[in-house]
Amino acid sequence: MENPAIGGWLRWSEDGTEVQFNSWPMMIGALAAQGMAATKKESVNKNFHDYGFKRLTDSRRRIPDEDGIIWFAFEHANFKRGRPDLLRNIKRRYQRWRPT
């Protein structure tokens, strides 16, 4: 997320415990570029939840910045700025059912 090519739509919270973004279309596009098939906000929310991320904002709880831009925020105990070693602990909670 420190990649300058990302622009201003994705950031860490000040303490590095939350990932924040201000554009669902940009987030969906970035995840699609990494191989995620979700194309709707609801699907991305479900995937975040399935991997144990906690949504901190929604239509009732918003984080506007000083410019009035609304940010959406998620947190996970194993997704912290500067701690790539924790990423291996992020697992999908629910496995998709697959017929045998």
Side-chain angles (χ1 to χ4, degrees):
M1 288 187 0
E2 282 76 19
N3 182 346
I6 290 177
W9 68 271
L10 181 67
R11 68 184 185 190
W12 287 105
S13 61
E14 286 187 28
D15 63 2
T17 61
E18 303 170 12
V19 60
Q20 301 175 346
F21 59 95
N22 65 19
S23 171
W24 276 106
M26 294 292 287
M27 176 57 83
I28 291 167
L31 293 171
Q34 297 299 315
M36 184 182 216
T39 59
K40 296 180 181 175
K41 175 173 70 169
E42 294 79 10
S43 298
V44 173
N45 271 326
K46 183 184 180 315
N47 275 281
F48 278 148
H49 177 75
D50 288 352
Y51 280 93
F53 283 80
K54 179 181 176 186
R55 184 179 61 212
L56 302 175
T57 57
D58 59 22
S59 60
R60 296 167 303 217
R61 297 173 303 214
R62 300 175 181 212
I63 302 175
D65 65 12
E66 60 276 354
D67 296 323
I69 297 172
I70 301 297
W71 292 86
F72 304 96
F74 288 82
E75 70 177 0
H76 191 291
N78 292 307
F79 195 72
K80 308 286 184 197
R81 180 178 51 216
R83 295 293 311 273
D85 57 303
L86 297 175
L87 295 176
R88 68 176 169 265
N89 299 321
I90 298 175
K91 307 273 190 241
R92 188 178 191 100
R93 289 185 192 174
Y94 312 105
Q95 296 300 318
R96 291 184 177 159
W97 179 81
R98 294 179 194 248
T100 55

